[in-house]
Amino acid sequence: MPADFFERDCDVFFESLVRQNRVRTLEVPPENAFDLCSNDYLCLSQDRRILSALHEGIARYGAGSTASRLVRGHREVFDVLEQKIAAWLKTESALFFANGYAGNVGTLSAICDPSYAAFVDRLAHASLVDGIRLSGARKIYFHHNDTAHLESLLARCPQKKRIIVTETVFSMDGDRAPVAELWQLAQRYGALLYCDEAHAIGVLGNEGGGLATQKADFRLVTFGKALGLEGAAVATSAKAVKYLLHRARTFVFSTAPLPAVAYAAIAAIELARTMEKERNHIAAMAEKLRSTLRAAGWECGNSTTQIVPLMCRSEEEALRLSAALLSAGIHARAIRPPTVQKPRIRFSLHAAVTEQILERLVAALSAEALCL
């Protein structure tokens, strides 16, 4: 068989995974277990108003868009959504993508080229790194959230074209980027600033508008997390959107997202902007969880958001704690290398979390800790 070499490569790869106990499988979420690992921060994925808007969108536009937006896939609802995004985020314009990965890869690979130097936070999401790699730009990591290190790199950089790339809330650690300081460095050294707001949008900032309002040249926001749907948008200047419409390959060569999703996303934005009570509740529950865990001797890193990691000494400990939590009716996954350097349980808090849930969580951890 001509492809035997690939079969052998697969075997070697999976043998390595088995030795390291890192074989992953797809699992349906367990029934009757409280969700503490999804990104449905405002619980909008099951909100009757969003479901109603989605059904109405299907009735209006059908089940699919049938083509790329530059061929026959465009609908007026995409224009309305992009205007709504731009108004919410206080930018001139926005461009809707199928998902956050497509948005980051398509935008960064269109902005940058080999004449650019791209300075990217060491813990930035894979989609940001992949977009830079595809562009051919010179990729330069700076230490996580370390603006002094970043400035030292910028000061020595020979390239005239520069871009700083970061998340505003880091998805595995739950800490925040120093956006104001990054913006100042970008201004000082003539660089663009690109901020991925996936885990901030809807949860943080004025009206849930994220952390980089008027402090970034490009902002990537997703609809698959706090807004309960799918899709993403890059919010930026009108000139940049016109450029991306022609150059972002993940936009140009992709079938357009479902118009019904765009229709429901308009409703999701309108709801999210008003959900200050839910945002305050999430913040209070996250702070309570951090303080309780730390008082019990657990490490939570530098989390200041709805994402609270519980750092573990080993992958085996992370897996045991995840199993113990599931036995107590709480679904929280172990996150292990190579996704992160240090194994952990990643708790992702949302608007339906209660003090009783947190008490159950801590009790389960405490009982398991006695057995370790």
Side-chain angles (χ1 to χ4, degrees), residues 165-176:
V165 180
T166 188
E167 296 178 60
T168 57
V169 171
F170 288 86
S171 60
M172 290 295 124
D173 291 83
D175 56 346
R176 310 180 193 208

Side-chain angles (χ1 to χ4, degrees), residues 52 67 75 106 113-114 153 157 161 186 198 203 211 290 313 319 324 332:
S52 176
R75 306 288 189 279
D113 60 34
L153 295 170
C157 177
K161 297 179 180 179
V203 184
L211 297 177
R290 278 189 294 270
R313 293 167 292 186
L319 291 168

Side-chain angles (χ1 to χ4, degrees), residues 39-357:
N39 303 312
D40 191 14
Y41 301 128
L42 296 176
C43 300
L44 290 180
S45 71
Q46 298 297 321
D47 189 285
R48 58 176 178 77
R49 293 162 292 187
I50 301 301
L51 296 177
S52 176
L54 192 58
H55 291 157
E56 184 177 344
I58 291 173
R60 286 189 178 207
Y61 301 106
S65 61
T66 74
S68 78
R69 284 177 67 182
L70 292 174
V71 179
R72 191 182 164 84
H74 184 62
R75 306 288 189 279
E76 77 282 354
V77 71
F78 293 123
D79 292 329
V80 175
L81 173 59
E82 287 163 348
Q83 292 163 11
K84 183 77 69 173
I85 294 165
W88 185 25
L89 303 185
K90 297 179 172 56
T91 61
E92 290 181 355
S93 192
L95 190 65
F96 189 52
F97 287 82
N99 53 59
Y101 202 101
N104 279 334
V105 169
T107 302
L108 283 167
S109 62
I111 296 169
C112 301
D113 60 34
S115 68
Y116 270 75
F119 299 84
V120 58
D121 189 288
R122 173 57 73 175
L123 298 186
H125 192 267
S127 59
L128 298 168
V129 176
D130 288 353
I132 294 167
R133 285 175 174 162
L134 284 171
S135 76
R138 179 188 173 203
K139 175 169 59 65
I140 305 168
Y141 284 115
F142 62 92
H143 301 326
H144 177 51
N145 279 348
D146 188 337
T147 53
H149 182 232
L150 172 60
E151 181 164 20
S152 71
L153 295 170
L154 285 164
R156 299 196 306 269
C157 177
Q159 277 89 355
K160 300 282 188 196
K161 297 179 180 179
R162 305 162 180 182
I163 186 169
I164 300 166
V165 180
T166 188
E167 296 178 60
T168 57
V169 171
F170 288 86
S171 60
M172 290 295 124
D173 291 83
D175 56 346
R176 310 180 193 208
V179 176
E181 294 175 54
L182 294 174
W183 180 240
Q184 290 172 1
L185 284 176
Q187 300 297 295
R188 189 179 308 155
Y189 288 93
L192 297 170
L193 178 60
Y194 187 105
C195 289
D196 182 334
E197 295 254 60
H199 292 274
I201 201 70
V203 184
L204 299 171
N206 182 47
E207 294 187 336
L211 297 177
T213 302
Q214 297 178 324
K215 290 185 175 65
D217 297 287
F218 297 87
R219 298 171 66 195
L220 185 284
V221 298
T222 60
F223 291 85
K225 297 177 174 62
L227 298 181
L229 290 157
E230 62 179 32
V234 172
T236 182
S237 69
K239 184 177 290 188
V241 164
K242 187 175 180 179
Y243 177 83
L244 292 174
L245 187 145
H246 291 82
R247 293 295 302 274
R249 293 170 68 85
T250 56
F251 175 87
V252 174
F253 297 106
S254 287
T255 297
L258 273 63
V261 168
Y263 187 80
I266 294 167
I269 290 173
E270 292 172 351
L271 280 173
R273 295 182 74 163
T274 69
M275 297 178 76
E276 201 62 29
K277 179 180 177 182
E278 287 81 358
R279 282 187 278 277
N280 290 336
H281 176 74
I282 294 167
M285 291 296 97
E287 183 54 38
K288 182 176 180 63
L289 178 59
R290 278 189 294 270
S291 61
T292 303
L293 290 175
R294 286 168 176 157
W298 298 99
E299 180 189 348
C300 299
N302 296 316
S303 166
T304 61
T305 67
Q306 75 279 7
I307 299 166
V308 181
L310 186 151
M311 301 301 185
C312 299
R313 293 167 292 186
S314 66
E315 294 182 51
E316 290 73 24
E317 181 183 45
L319 291 168
R320 283 197 299 269
L321 291 176
S322 178
L325 288 165
L326 188 57
S327 296
I330 293 172
H331 190 211
R333 298 296 296 268
I335 309 295
R336 300 180 284 155
T339 303
V340 292
Q341 286 188 331
K342 189 170 184 178
R344 68 199 61 191
I345 306 293
R346 174 188 180 270
F347 296 113
S348 184
L349 276 65
H350 52 76
V353 173
T354 64
E355 292 192 6
Q356 290 72 29
I357 290 292

